Amino acid sequence: MSRKIRMGMVGGGRGAFIGGVHRMAAAIDGQIELVCGAFSSNPEKSKLSGQDFYLPEDRVYGSYEEMILKEKELPEDIRMDFISIVTPNHMHFGPAKMALENGFHVVCDKPLSFDMAEAKELVELVNKTGLIFALTHNYTGYPMVKQARMMVKNGDIGEVRRIVVEYPQGWLSTKVEDDVDNKQASWRTDPKRSGAAGAMGDIGTHAENLAEYISGLEISEMCADLHTHIKGRLLDDDGSVLLRFNNGARGVLYASQISAGEENALTIRIYGTKAGLEWHQMEPNSLLVKHLDKPTELMRTGVGNLYPESTAHTRIPAGHPEGYLEAFGNIYRNFAKCVQARLAGTEVDPIYKDFPSVEDGLRGMQFIEAVVASSNSNEKWYKL
Amino acid sequence: MSRKIRMGMVGGGRGAFIGGVHRMAAAIDGQIELVCGAFSSNPEKSKLSGQDFYLPEDRVYGSYEEMILKEKELPEDIRMDFISIVTPNHMHFGPAKMALENGFHVVCDKPLSFDMAEAKELVELVNKTGLIFALTHNYTGYPMVKQARMMVKNGDIGEVRRIVVEYPQGWLSTKVEDDVDNKQASWRTDPKRSGAAGAMGDIGTHAENLAEYISGLEISEMCADLHTHIKGRLLDDDGSVLLRFNNGARGVLYASQISAGEENALTIRIYGTKAGLEWHQMEPNSLLVKHLDKPTELMRTGVGNLYPESTAHTRIPAGHPEGYLEAFGNIYRNFAKCVQARLAGTEVDPIYKDFPSVEDGLRGMQFIEAVVASSNSNEKWYKL
Amino acid sequence: MSRKIRMGMVGGGRGAFIGGVHRMAAAIDGQIELVCGAFSSNPEKSKLSGQDFYLPEDRVYGSYEEMILKEKELPEDIRMDFISIVTPNHMHFGPAKMALENGFHVVCDKPLSFDMAEAKELVELVNKTGLIFALTHNYTGYPMVKQARMMVKNGDIGEVRRIVVEYPQGWLSTKVEDDVDNKQASWRTDPKRSGAAGAMGDIGTHAENLAEYISGLEISEMCADLHTHIKGRLLDDDGSVLLRFNNGARGVLYASQISAGEENALTIRIYGTKAGLEWHQMEPNSLLVKHLDKPTELMRTGVGNLYPESTAHTRIPAGHPEGYLEAFGNIYRNFAKCVQARLAGTEVDPIYKDFPSVEDGLRGMQFIEAVVASSNSNEKWYKL
Amino acid sequence: MSRKIRMGMVGGGRGAFIGGVHRMAAAIDGQIELVCGAFSSNPEKSKLSGQDFYLPEDRVYGSYEEMILKEKELPEDIRMDFISIVTPNHMHFGPAKMALENGFHVVCDKPLSFDMAEAKELVELVNKTGLIFALTHNYTGYPMVKQARMMVKNGDIGEVRRIVVEYPQGWLSTKVEDDVDNKQASWRTDPKRSGAAGAMGDIGTHAENLAEYISGLEISEMCADLHTHIKGRLLDDDGSVLLRFNNGARGVLYASQISAGEENALTIRIYGTKAGLEWHQMEPNSLLVKHLDKPTELMRTGVGNLYPESTAHTRIPAGHPEGYLEAFGNIYRNFAKCVQARLAGTEVDPIYKDFPSVEDGLRGMQFIEAVVASSNSNEKWYKL
């Protein structure tokens, strides 16, 4: 018989941002229960965070190593089923590897790892263990993103010719990382914790993932120009990339954290031989379909005959806006269904196998490596 | 020490709409646990629904009466703390009354009851018992609605002169209630289950509640014209109302379920002597502030110096859209905080006491009574 | 052989607003030439205005009477063909009547006249003389308004059930008429120059005209609530009206000049049994078509297979925004084509006979009379 | 004393697009009179076109050479003051040169010429003759573009860091140039008539001009990727360019005519250290100003305290949308004021000296040359 699956969290204690997102996303559908955590590298902080989440003291750990080892010793009907990793980038690999080696499924925040070597090792480990691994490239969880993907796949817009994907933010327009209380800014601009790229790693990878997810294409060549506008900042805070795709399509990707006044304006436009698509993350329930010779259609979450892959990812009737947490929750919901099926020895509906994988994570690390190399090079085109 | 509070649900089994909304809204913040339910008047259906939610069999009941009586017998550290009522309108009163009489707090879907008599009795009972009662007029849970309310309260737009509030939907444009599978349509258009009004009861009350909540004013007189456009339908599916408020402001309210092609387009505009406000439910993270002689401001959830009453009701940084479930969840979150404080014998921050009350429910029933009476009358003005 | 037609203007000298609009609207298509004018009741001002427009001194007159009489004496190949009346409301009747009696065609700003008696006399005079008369209810000149009208006419949205038309402005939110330099405000709020209604006469008539033009229906009953928010102002500055149409459709009309921060937000929504239409004057090149079970269509000026009645009123390819002056110009262009055909003794394409007539003006005066009477009455419904 | 100035037109006969735009733009303000033309290289067609514009036969010429020579012989109070060149690109140079050499001022459609050599010769000739020359980069004529320029100039957004300018169209998504009746497509895709670039020459130059006009910066380096998506098409129909500006700012420019379903979606976003600006040609009366820590402002044509350079280019009150023809007309209006001042021997208000010059045209030709060279090169950066 089916049951809720049990989550242990790594990171995400008081003061964190993405940890709370993961908890809400996991909770919303009533399929997942938070049962334990190593919420901070500081055991005292971890304990206080555990209280916030009403966890029993003995399930709040001082480190992920302790959590994994101790949970493994617990009876099967009590111990966690998977870990959720919500730490800064340089802390993804350790817990992910140890969890996989000890038989736990994994949900990991993006990007997958600190560098390519780690990413490759995780891919191998997932393949070897057969465990379920989800990467939270959450923007692909939106119903209208899934609709767009299915439209491209089914030829509704013809052959793709042009992709424009952009992710401007403005919150790093000043040197906020100098404020000691701004943890979000400080680790993201620190090459020791964030990795080789700044804006490109943090949000450029989302743009890359979204473009390839919807189009079903791969970037084959790129030409990048990354820049750091803020004096003394150690990683790129702005960059633009010319793209060539494996079917000959062309495009532009950019990611910027110094675009003053922008919130989180991830936007994608894909133009095919028959029609164009446009989607904005900040108004995620609308998808514009632009035709050659007739009125633009405004597709809306839940309205009309959308693809089942889209409607399977909505929860409430049209006109009741679903947002970021619901899209994020779709990754957790699908992951949970796969874990439940694994536990029950049943097959899961293919529609629920749709969440970013460890291979998508590797792809993101390749993108980061390439975009940094291309930016540093005088050669025009860099092949992925 | 604080703990999660425990919810028992009345209604909301398989095939229902609003029950799922309540469960997700209650779950999102990790403050509330669904522990039991009487999900259907059909005990078999109730049982199956209980399995969907991973409840133990002995906490799934065949009727609300059974649930209330049996839960009352359970040890204090196990039994439910409150019931959530998500049945059609004519089934609100019974469980609400019995819960209150047996010491359980209550969350109830709107409108409060089938008629005024029931509403008045519930108000008395809440006052007598001192129990906590929340009515899910969920649209007041949006952060930008709270911002609008605080702006009016603090005089940011001056004295209110004009209010336009509208709630058009299109889903009853055809006689969908004839489809036996369309439960939502069938009970809402049935005077025996819905009450004296159709569209005005279902969504007009939301419009009324929103207008009075934001403006801090009361409708003092109205002139209504309700109409049933679909032949054979038994309740109004469309109506418009001229409004006069207790400060002399004028306005218009309308609610329609035959506005073809509209999803859930609740919109409010409030004009004061200094500025105007505009908010759309379908893009709830934006609030337009229109000034007399300078550019319109586009206020956004989480951006800049909003009132604390607004920011206390957001969960994630600006640009990550929060939606209907998060707004709904704010009612549950605030209700939970009040119940927790009651359990702990502490004071709750006044910012969390902000959720619709049983008196708001009575007000809604007065509105329904008035709007129907006004529509049936040849006198121009009907005083509330 | 065809030639430009010649215009004489009454009013519209230095400091005026609508006179300049008429001149630009008349000039844009190169079909009309301004040849003379009585631009002000002050002959000196009239002369200076004539210089602004590069007119010869002998064609600039001190009064409309002088202009009409003297122009009549000029040779046929020189004298004006029609007069354009751009004075305040109380000054429409005199020049219109005299022009008609002396054989000149007329373009007249709206509303048609100061009161009903004048309006009726002008209708009779136009019928008697057979001269061409255009009233500049300019909003019906927009291509997407014409598209909307043809869609209703051809049954594309089914039978009309509901109409919501609104015209909020904010410019009279303070008592600007006390500023002696604000001529626009002073005459519009003066019952001796404006007529029986303020906001309802100035802009409510546009809303009424637009609703009846697009829907092809007539308002049969209304219930109005007009109000003057600004102390000491002599005419209504805000009002709302419940509407019943001659086919049983219901609706709301409102006009307000104290809606703080609104520019000129004329908007109409028409809902039929099959679909809904939405059009906003401030983004006039878009028309939303909302369907029951499929995506909303965003129709755009010049894109796809629009009705010929729409495309005949655009000048440039899609994506090059046409605005208020082009819509206004469509009235002049069509009027000019009719006058040219009259001069040439030919038939004009029926598509160009589409401009507001003296009967539309009479209808507007009936609306003003009714809305004021209804507002003053305690009876709920006032029949037109 | 001031008078209307007299225009002779080269090109723009029946079947042309941009000729009509120039005539309407010139007519709208009543400052310019069309007095003669060589509307087609086919004298019969030219004659018929002249009839359309009600010109006397003897002022309709069979060639621009004939027009210039004959007009020069006419008395000063009759002959044209300037020529307006509205032919395809390869036909700009001839009439421009001859007009300048014979003492006529010039308005010329963009791009300035077929190639750089012609452009340089025209610059020299304008400098030598001192005649007035306007290039119709019309998008800089919009009031909100001028507002944006002044805001940058006055430091309102701080130092510019990032510019994104894009001009997607969809009308060349299929090989429409194969249709013999599609003159617009056929000459624009023909390297013998259009020049070295297709989309980049036709609309990319507008994007370049707009970015440099608003920012006051110059592109110093670029990296381009042009592409022809349609088989058999002879010029680029799509291209993207990485930009570096002379102050260190970075950016992206793209121009595409195969972006299916796009109309004329010229858009610019400029981010400074203090704020960001966003403007869309298809809704030209709005300018978004995005701040670091407060609500975005929606500036609107004519609302509030805009810069005088903006308000001097509006004709009607706020809320009455002005469009493409009005922006285009601003170039003609300003040009006319300069010619009138020249004729009168007076100084013109500097606010009216604001229209694109022959040097802007040369800059556009440099851009075309550079973008084509960069695209053909394997070197990453091409210096302008």
Side-chain angles (χ1 to χ4, degrees), chain A residues 4 17 21 24 27-28 30-31 54 263-264 281-283 300 315-317 319-321 323-326 340, chain B residues 4 17 21 24 27-28 30-31 54 263-264 281-283 300 315-317 319-321 323-326 340:
Chain A
K4 284 197 190 190
F17 149 53
V21 168
M24 292 186 278
I28 197 166
Q31 307 292 317
Y54 312 111
E263 298 174 33
N264 208 35
Q281 192 271 147
M282 285 167 60
E283 292 182 16
R300 295 268 310 160
R315 292 167 177 80
I316 36 179
H320 302 79
Y324 177 87
L325 292 174
E326 287 77 19
Q340 287 174 325
Chain B
K4 283 197 189 190
F17 149 52
V21 168
M24 293 185 277
I28 197 167
Q31 308 292 317
Y54 313 111
E263 299 174 33
N264 209 35
Q281 192 270 147
M282 285 168 60
E283 291 182 18
R300 295 267 310 158
R315 291 165 177 81
I316 36 178
H320 301 78
Y324 177 86
L325 292 173
E326 287 77 20
Q340 287 173 324

Side-chain angles (χ1 to χ4, degrees), chain C residues 5-9 22-23 26-27 32-37 80-84 332:
Chain C
I5 64 168
R6 295 184 292 266
M7 172 166 78
M9 181 163 271
H22 280 251
R23 281 189 298 272
I32 296 169
E33 196 175 2
L34 176 68
V35 296
C36 62
M80 68 178 185
D81 295 302
F82 73 102
I83 66 163
S84 175
Y332 270 97

